[in-house]
Amino acid sequence: MKKLLFWLTLVLLLIAAFIWGNMPKIAPYYKQLTKPRVGMNIDLQPKEQRSAHFVGSQKCKECHKAKYHDWKASMHSKMIQDIRKNSSVVVADFSKLPKDADFTLKDAVYTIGSKFKQRYMIPAKINGKDDYRLGNYQWNTQTGKWQHFKPYKYWYHNSYPHDNKQFPTSTTCDGCHFTGYMATGKRVEPAIACENCHGPGSEHVKDPDSPVFKASMFDPIRTNEVCLQCHMRNRDKRIETQGATAKDLWMNATDYPKGYEPGKPLISYKLPAPFALGQGTKEFWPNGAAKKNRTQGNEYIHDAMYKHGITCINCHDPHKLTNTAQKPQGNDACMKCHSFGSVIGPHQDTLEQHTHHKADSKGSLCIECHMPKTGRHTGKSPLTVRSHRFAFTYPAETKAFGMPPETNACFACHKDKTLDSLQDDLKAWGQLEWEKLETPHVK
Ligand code: HEC
Ligand code: HEC
Ligand code: HEC
Ligand code: HEC
Ligand code: HEC
Ligand code: HEC
Ligand code: HEC
Ligand code: HEC
């Protein structure tokens, strides 16, 4: 009897192990993917937070040391840096600053950015108010050169004077780079800190049982909004709600969702930059891929993964911000959900059958084909911004949409071939379906 029980248990365990081993890798995410959608208009901010104010990350550090250290090491904590506190935050070579620059290092108080480019904030009285303006040169970290910077060319051409000295950062930048500014118009902390994603924390700091917003608690579509408040190109919401033109918004067109706090319905504060498939804009190629940085949200909302409830934080730890262009994670980042021959694909049985490249080839890295480099950080930067539109773009589509060939994944590595011959390779591999064989869908 004992023996029988032993064997029975062993067999059951083996069956369980077999089932477990064959579970699709996506299984642990079923709960997230099937969460009920609450809708775009519901306010999810905890009631207790509605009367709270912003306190800054030093307060949070007292009880959340590990999260604080992860965040402190990330780029979010380094977006705006005070030059007077630490002059080593300046990455530019000021000895080479061109003669016609309208500022010197002494005039600048804050640096903006560092990784791809650095711009400088200079105190200025604009429109009768204490504000900041931007220097007329920016440092391009990728090329190691100074280049002209005329923000009015990109930010609301018809809403601001064409003069850097009259162009304020308060309405055009600060909401996305400081803590608290978007919601309250006060620069609580020069960084993208805790409360930019968790909402104002004064009540929670007094009593930890008083809740703060945690984006992953509800609808996965809404989870993304804490990131989309900044990582999505937009237009002043009044253009939609009040039919305002850029001219009507003279000196106060706002380039961020003013008034938004985490948990509130972002849709009430933000008008995404317009896009229609087939029509290129200054921000997007005609297929919806980014021409510029900071368009992750605009691209991602059109992707199948977004629609199924996969979120930014499934791929990026919100505090460490892992998976960046400087730290490629190889295929593991994708294979934590995907597996060969699985229900969500790739539908071939092996890596080589899917990619038609050797397993150890660069041509077998998921992101090289599914996140090609389509954008630039400035007009003079190299093509390095990876698309967050994960669907594969065929060479024939790149051609039919009139996009530059180097934005195509295959061409990026095979510059000696033509888009037509690369399309033929895919055809020879049997990777084209009827629809794509017929005519590339360009509408
Ligand atoms: C006095 C200590 C203390 C301070 C200060 C503090 N927290 Fe907390 N926090 C806690 C404790 C304890 C919990 C767990 C509470 C619980 O589970 O009910 C918590 C939980 C959280 C959670 C998770 C909430 C959830 O629903 O899972 C977040 C997010 C958070 N804190 C953010 C912050 C932020 C942002 C700040 C700074 C504004 C901050 N905390 C300051 C003690 C603190
Ligand atoms: C860029 C947005 C962002 C910033 C900045 C940020 N958080 Fe979070 N935080 C999140 C998200 C999103 C989650 C939910 C993560 C999840 O469920 O996987 C989270 C979760 C947490 C939790 C709960 C962890 C748990 O296991 O449930 C705590 C505590 C927390 N954050 C504290 C902080 C503190 C303290 C800071 C500042 C030092 C901070 N966060 C900065 C977005 C952010
Ligand atoms: C308040 C605005 C704001 C919010 C909210 C925000 N970001 Fe960012 N994020 C930025 C800015 C600005 C940078 C550039 C920082 C720099 O280069 O110093 C950045 C950089 C990043 C990077 C690149 C990091 C690197 O090392 O290069 C990642 C990844 C990222 N954010 C992901 C997220 C995710 C995921 C969320 C939501 C959980 C989020 N961000 C929320 C403004 C924001
Ligand atoms: C809607 C939010 C938003 C607004 C408004 C905004 N930015 Fe940013 N900015 C971001 C995000 C998010 C990133 C990082 C993501 C990326 O670059 O793809 C970023 C990146 C940058 C970087 C590059 C950082 C680095 O380390 O290389 C600079 C410089 C910068 N912004 C300057 C500005 C200036 C100047 C303005 C105003 C004229 C401005 N931004 C307005 C959200 C914003
Ligand atoms: C399916 C996984 C996945 C999702 C979902 C995803 N990302 Fe990424 N993201 C990546 C990978 C991988 C990279 C880095 C590619 C590399 O190594 O060059 C990246 C890079 C970035 C960068 C750095 C860009 C740069 O130029 O350095 C930012 C910022 C970013 N993602 C923000 C977001 C935001 C915001 C969302 C949600 C709207 C999001 N990501 C959703 C996988 C993802
Ligand atoms: C957290 C889980 C998760 C991660 C991580 C993930 N995916 Fe996905 N992916 C999904 C789900 C779910 C779908 C939807 C499947 C379906 O519709 O059948 C999907 C669909 C796709 C599709 C087909 C639909 C489309 O978007 O056009 C591609 C391509 C894809 N993923 C590529 C990637 C790449 C590349 C990475 C890594 C950078 C990645 N995925 C990481 C869960 C994930
Ligand atoms: C050499 C280019 C290339 C590489 C590398 C690549 N893919 Fe693909 N992938 C494609 C093509 C082509 C398709 C077919 C697209 C379509 O059907 O529209 C595809 C389709 C997919 C799909 C949709 C489902 C399917 O099987 O048709 C998923 C999911 C996917 N790839 C995930 C991945 C993952 C995960 C990796 C990394 C392990 C990866 N891909 C690497 C070219 C590539
Ligand atoms: C990240 C770089 C990279 C990408 C993206 C890439 N390849 Fe390749 N490809 C290579 C390398 C390297 C080889 C050399 C053989 C190997 O490693 O498998 C190769 C070999 C080939 C070959 C066989 C040898 C030859 O030159 O005729 C063909 C055909 C091919 N690639 C077509 C494509 C097509 C079509 C795509 C897009 C679906 C693509 N490649 C995407 C890097 C890439």
Side-chain angles (χ1 to χ4, degrees):
M1 187 65 193
K2 253 192 183 162
K3 253 195 182 156
L4 191 73
L5 217 65
F6 172 79
W7 286 111
L8 204 68
T9 321
L10 195 72
V11 168
L12 281 174
L13 276 173
L14 280 171
I15 293 174
F18 180 79
I19 295 175
W20 182 250
N22 281 288
M23 282 253 275
K25 281 199 193 158
I26 189 70
Y29 297 89
Y30 282 175
K31 207 170 153 214
Q32 171 184 328
L33 299 181
T34 53
K35 264 189 194 166
R37 305 286 199 261
V38 299
M40 299 293 277
N41 303 313
I42 307 292
D43 187 349
L44 300 171
Q45 187 177 47
K47 280 192 200 68
E48 294 82 346
Q49 247 185 316
R50 294 185 189 159
S51 54
H53 59 267
F54 289 81
V55 296
S57 62
Q58 286 304 319
K59 285 269 190 293
C60 317
K61 183 185 178 187
E62 288 164 22
C63 303
H64 299 290
K65 286 211 169 55
K67 290 274 181 291
Y68 179 88
H69 287 298
D70 285 350
W71 167 79
K72 192 68 189 163
S74 83
M75 293 305 285
H76 276 167
S77 74
K78 303 184 181 78
M79 185 55 182
I80 300 286
Q81 299 182 98
D82 192 329
I83 303 172
R84 293 159 307 184
K85 281 197 185 143
N86 177 4
S87 61
S88 74
V89 300
V90 174
V91 298
D93 183 351
F94 268 83
S95 73
K96 297 207 177 97
L97 183 66
K99 296 245 156 18
D100 60 337
D102 67 2
F103 69 112
T104 65
L105 182 54
K106 276 209 188 80
D107 300 327
V109 168
Y110 291 122
T111 60
I112 313 182
S114 56
K115 189 166 168 177
F116 304 102
K117 60 207 181 215
Q118 192 164 65
R119 296 171 180 159
Y120 301 91
M121 281 172 77
I122 299 153
K125 212 161 197 105
I126 300 175
N127 231 358
K129 276 189 288 189
D130 286 331
D131 211 310
Y132 293 88
R133 69 171 183 95
L134 296 154
N136 66 343
Y137 277 90
Q138 61 181 325
W139 179 257
N140 187 326
T141 316
Q142 291 180 294
T143 60
K145 287 193 178 117
W146 285 103
Q147 68 190 53
H148 277 292
F149 181 50
K150 295 175 182 154
Y152 51 81
K153 277 174 73 179
Y154 316 100
W155 275 269
Y156 299 101
H157 201 66
N158 295 323
S159 302
Y160 291 98
H162 293 183
D163 172 6
N164 277 32
K165 293 196 167 157
Q166 291 301 315
F167 185 92
T169 66
S170 56
T171 46
T172 57
C173 322
D174 298 351
C176 296
H177 300 163
F178 286 83
T179 303
Y181 201 81
M182 191 181 285
T184 66
K186 288 199 188 80
R187 296 182 188 83
V188 177
E189 190 175 355
I192 291 121
C194 320
E195 292 162 293
N196 273 350
C197 296
H198 293 296
S202 61
E203 297 307 306
H204 174 72
V205 163
K206 274 188 260 162
D207 170 13
D209 287 334
S210 178
V212 286
F213 181 68
K214 189 171 90 174
S216 54
M217 273 184 348
F218 309 94
D219 178 335
I221 295 286
R222 298 288 305 274
T223 299
N224 294 313
E225 289 181 2
V226 291
C227 314
L228 299 190
Q229 62 172 308
C230 300
H231 286 271
M232 187 192 221
R233 296 239 169 212
N234 35 211
R235 300 282 183 275
D236 194 303
K237 182 79 182 169
R238 286 169 290 181
I239 292 172
E240 181 189 58
T241 53
Q242 298 168 19
T245 64
K247 270 222 168 80
D248 298 333
L249 304 173
W250 183 249
M251 288 311 276
N252 78 13
T254 305
D255 204 33
Y256 50 82
K258 192 175 171 183
Y260 169 80
E261 284 179 12
K264 299 238 185 266
L266 186 61
I267 202 169
S268 313
Y269 301 85
K270 185 147 179 157
L271 179 62
F275 170 71
L277 190 66
Q279 284 162 30
T281 63
K282 63 177 177 158
E283 287 124 340
F284 312 108
W285 299 111
N287 74 339
K291 275 185 185 166
K292 297 185 167 195
N293 63 312
R294 204 229 290 172
T295 39
Q296 294 87 11
N298 306 74
E299 296 182 284
Y300 191 55
I301 56 169
H302 297 295
D303 189 70
M305 280 196 272
Y306 164 83
K307 289 176 185 146
H308 284 86
I310 300 296
T311 64
C312 310
I313 61 169
N314 285 136
C315 294
H316 299 283
D317 178 304
H319 306 106
K320 294 188 181 135
L321 304 183
T322 33
N323 279 347
T324 65
Q326 290 188 350
K327 291 173 240 149
Q329 303 289 307
N331 289 351
D332 295 352
C334 312
M335 296 307 279
K336 71 179 191 194
C337 298
H338 289 278
S339 49
F340 295 100
S342 70
V343 60
I344 67 164
H347 294 294
Q348 292 81 354
D349 287 333
T350 66
L351 178 63
E352 292 191 357
Q353 281 171 20
H354 179 66
T355 66
H356 298 268
H357 286 74
K358 296 191 192 84
D360 61 356
S361 165
K362 274 197 146 192
S364 278
L365 287 175
C366 316
I367 62 166
E368 295 293 353
C369 281
H370 289 285
M371 300 181 78
K373 294 171 182 167
T374 62
R376 299 174 199 279
H377 283 272
T378 77
K380 290 185 176 155
S381 299
L383 203 63
T384 54
V385 176
R386 284 196 190 270
S387 173
H388 275 69
R389 196 188 153 276
F390 294 89
F392 181 78
T393 300
Y394 286 88
E397 289 174 321
T398 303
K399 187 176 166 187
F401 278 126
M403 293 163 59
E406 54 276 16
T407 61
N408 180 266
C410 310
F411 186 86
C413 290
H414 295 286
K415 294 213 171 70
D416 54 331
K417 298 195 184 199
T418 61
L419 289 174
D420 289 331
S421 71
L422 287 161
Q423 183 77 4
D424 288 343
D425 290 340
L426 279 156
K427 198 171 168 184
W429 294 343
Q431 281 268 60
L432 295 187
E433 291 165 21
W434 292 110
E435 179 204 7
K436 318 260 168 171
L437 275 169
E438 203 184 44
T439 40
H441 61 281
V442 180
K443 263 268 153 56

